[in-house]
Each structure stands twice: as structure tokens, then as C-alpha cells.
Amino acid sequence: MRHNHHRRWGKNGFLGLLAVALAALPLLTLRTAEFQGSDDQGKEMVHQLDPNYRPWFSPLWEPPGSEIESLLFSLQAALGAGVVGYAIGYLHARRRDRHESD
Amino acid sequence: MVRWVILVLFMAFWLPRQAYAMHIMEGYLPLGWCLFWAVLCLPALILGTRSLQKQAGDNLKMKLVLALSAAFAFVLSALKLPSVTGSSSHPTGVGLGAVLFGPMAMSVVGCIILLFQALLLAHGGITTLGANTFSMAVVGPTVSYLVFRVVHKYGFGRGVAVFLAAALGDLSTYVTTSFQLALAFPAPIGGVAASFWKFASIFAVTQVPLAVSEGLLTVIMVNGVMKYNPEVLSRAMNLAEEAHHEA
């Protein structure tokens, strides 16, 4: 049982490391890249295909500057991560309590 | 372990031609197409709402697993990851909920996430909400769900099935986005097909490592859920089947 528990985390840890490595790889190999978001390239392609196209609507509100934008992205990730942690913790504790009461 | 390394390397270096990453930008889709995709989303949103009520409405544990799935998608779509093309994009995170709650359930969740990003981050858009919901919250989860069922059925382990489901769901989202843009902006020479390859090849490489990452993270989450609640997956799948037969 204990051994199994250990292996499960070992495997998850390994998969997590793989994911981190995948994200880190471009940073290590592409020294000069800016890693800008890809929306702009999409816009350019639209203008290339249809030079007369004019966007008919613009965002109601835009984050004033990249710092505020990154704040909002961080908030989104933080809120989500909080809920993920809470749910996993709750499910875990609930199961443990039930085992103890049996 | 070795099996996973081979699978990941294979996925990372086998580069299918696919798609333009991120969502369709505000104002960059003609009104007719905006309405067309929005209408196509409606059945999925209605079915999804019913499916969620049925699966999580009366059950605290399932509500928590649903909150977990929604929050996971929230986190993943906030992470802009660097890719081998030197630009960055973000995963979708809806594969987890699709595997646990069936193909329609995540349409509602995805739509809410897209609305949040359109209003607060100027990412995607209100006018393009229908088109983006269709690609990220209807096609993506549906592909994830079907891939999971098929791979699982053919005797592969749960891990491999979940990995492929999430990764291919992610890719299919961006293939759909390319297709939507191509329909709206056919190339003067070669029409929709030429246009599709243009949009799809802008990010031919960008989304692949992200899809692989999304697959890996989703496997970790499913392992975490299953460790404490092994009945969640089977229950969700049974219910999804029932809902499927009723619909």
C-alpha cells in the first residue's frame, strides 16, 4: 500500500517534470525569441488575405498596459489554483475521515 | 516511465500541420459568421446545462469534482507557455472535465472562461464569443471525450487514454479556429483551403508542445482525483452515456 502510494506520486512527479521541461526547452534553445502572444500574427494574416477588412468592433475594455494585464492573468491562475487545491484537499480529507470511522 | 518518454517525444517531434493558436480576436470575424457560430453553440450549451444539473446538481462530491475541472481549465487558459516557434500560446484545460463529465458539460464552463477573458483581458472577444466557444468548448471537449472512449476501449491504460484525449482535444480546438477564420477569409487564390493552411501553418509547431503539456497535466489531475474517488470516472461515464441515449 505504502509502496503503491509512493509510486503514484513518483509517476505524477515525473509527468510534471516532463511538462516543465517542455516549457523550459524553448527558453533554453531560442535565446533571441520574444515569445509574444500569437494574436498579432493572426491579425496580420487576416489583413494579408483581405487588405480591405476593417475590424468592426474593439474590446470594451483593455488592461492599461502589460503589467496590469499580467496581474489579471496571475489572478485568474491564482483563483483557479486555489479552487483546485481546495477541492483535492477536501476530497482527500473526506475519504480519510471515512476510513477512520470505519 | 519509458513508455511515457517515448509517447511524449513522439508527440513533440511528430509535427502535424495544425493551427493558429489563441482565440479569434475581437472584431476580426464578420457579423454573419459571429451569429452563425453562436447559434451552433446553443444546443451544446443547453445540453451541457442539463448534463451538469443531472450529474452535479444533488451531489456535493460531484460538485467539487466539477469545480475542480472548471478551475483547472481556468488555470491552464491563464498560462501562456513558450513554444518552439518563439511565440507563446496557452492550453485550454477543458479535456479534464470532458473526460469526467462527458462531451457537453464543459461547453458551459468554457463559455464562462472565454467571457471572462474577453471582458477583463481583451483576449478573444464578445463578438467572437460564439466562434471561440464553438472551437474551445464544443469541438475540443467532444474530441477529448471521443478519443478517451475509443483509446480506453481498445485496451490502453487510463493514463494513455487521458493523455491523448487532452492533447488531441487541445489541437482540435486550434484546427477549428483556423477553419473558422479560413471560412470568413478565403484566399483570393485557392479559396478556403489555401486560407486554412495559411492560418493552420502560422502555428504549425506552436501548439504541439503545449498540447503535450496539457495532456501530461491532465493525467496528473485525473490521477489525483481517482486516487481519492475512483468511482468518479465510472459514474461520470455512465451518466454521460445515459444522457447521450436520452438526447
Side-chain angles (χ1 to χ4, degrees):
Chain A
M1 180 70 208
R2 180 155 185 81
H3 176 68
N4 197 6
H5 175 88
H6 178 76
R7 258 190 58 208
R8 162 73 63 210
W9 277 112
K11 187 171 179 179
N12 278 346
F14 172 74
L15 296 178
L17 277 177
L18 269 182
V20 171
L22 267 177
L25 196 69
L27 299 180
L28 295 171
T29 52
L30 305 167
R31 292 290 185 187
T32 54
E34 299 265 335
F35 295 106
Q36 283 171 327
S38 36
D39 303 36
D40 295 341
Q41 278 157 295
K43 288 181 186 174
E44 277 165 33
M45 183 54 72
V46 168
H47 288 308
Q48 215 175 311
L49 288 164
D50 185 356
N52 300 323
Y53 185 79
R54 292 285 167 268
W56 58 280
F57 201 85
S58 49
L60 299 168
W61 183 79
E62 286 196 62
S66 63
E67 294 298 343
I68 304 303
E69 187 184 17
S70 73
L71 166 71
L72 290 164
F73 271 105
S74 314
L75 271 178
Q76 187 186 336
L79 287 172
V83 174
V84 168
Y86 175 85
I88 292 249
Y90 183 95
L91 291 168
H92 185 182
R94 199 176 124 128
R95 188 169 173 80
R96 190 194 55 208
D97 294 348
R98 187 169 317 144
H99 274 284
E100 281 174 1
S101 64
D102 283 347
Chain B
M1 295 284 179
V2 175
R3 206 180 53 184
W4 277 104
V5 173
I6 291 168
L7 191 63
V8 167
L9 286 177
F10 178 78
M11 293 275 298
F13 292 103
W14 170 72
L15 300 171
R17 288 195 147 276
Q18 51 71 42
Y20 163 68
M22 301 244 197
H23 314 300
I24 302 179
M25 305 66 66
E26 184 81 280
Y28 273 83
L29 202 61
L31 178 60
W33 283 112
C34 292
L35 294 172
F36 175 79
W37 297 113
V39 168
L40 270 193
C41 286
L42 286 178
L45 290 170
I46 292 164
L47 285 174
T49 309
R50 278 178 37 194
S51 157
L52 287 180
Q53 280 168 345
K54 194 169 168 175
Q55 292 185 74
D58 56 342
N59 184 321
L60 178 66
K61 198 192 239 177
M62 290 306 274
K63 269 187 186 157
L64 267 169
V65 176
L66 176 63
L68 178 84
S69 307
F72 179 70
F74 215 61
V75 175
L76 253 62
S77 52
L79 298 178
K80 293 186 181 173
L81 300 173
S83 181
V84 286
T85 48
S87 56
S88 61
S89 176
H90 60 80
T92 66
V94 290
L96 175 67
V99 166
L100 294 176
F101 290 93
M104 292 295 138
M106 288 309 271
S107 64
V108 186
V109 173
C111 186
I112 292 168
I113 292 172
L114 286 164
L115 187 64
F116 171 90
Q117 292 196 319
L119 287 173
L120 290 178
L121 297 166
H123 191 68
I126 299 293
T127 57
T128 53
L129 185 64
N132 290 330
T133 299
F134 186 79
S135 64
M136 190 187 105
V138 178
V139 174
T142 302
V143 168
S144 287
Y145 178 77
L146 293 175
V147 167
F148 178 75
R149 296 297 309 269
V150 168
V151 175
H152 213 0
K153 193 175 149 183
Y154 283 95
F156 287 91
R158 192 187 71 223
V160 174
V162 170
F163 171 78
L164 289 173
L168 293 174
D170 180 312
L171 287 184
S172 70
T173 292
Y174 293 110
V175 169
T176 307
T177 301
S178 301
F179 185 62
Q180 290 170 319
L181 283 165
L183 283 174
F185 301 103
I189 304 162
V192 171
S195 200
F196 171 78
W197 289 116
K198 277 194 166 65
F199 281 114
S201 60
I202 288 183
F203 286 90
V205 194
T206 298
Q207 202 61 29
V208 175
L210 303 193
V212 174
S213 297
E214 171 159 3
L216 294 170
L217 294 171
T218 307
V219 171
I220 295 172
M221 292 302 294
V222 171
N223 285 346
V225 173
M226 295 292 287
K227 188 174 165 188
Y228 307 122
N229 302 277
E231 73 282 7
V232 164
L233 195 60
S234 52
R235 181 170 182 270
M237 288 187 70
N238 292 339
L239 272 168
E241 269 182 21
E242 281 171 34
H244 200 66
H245 287 305
E246 278 181 28

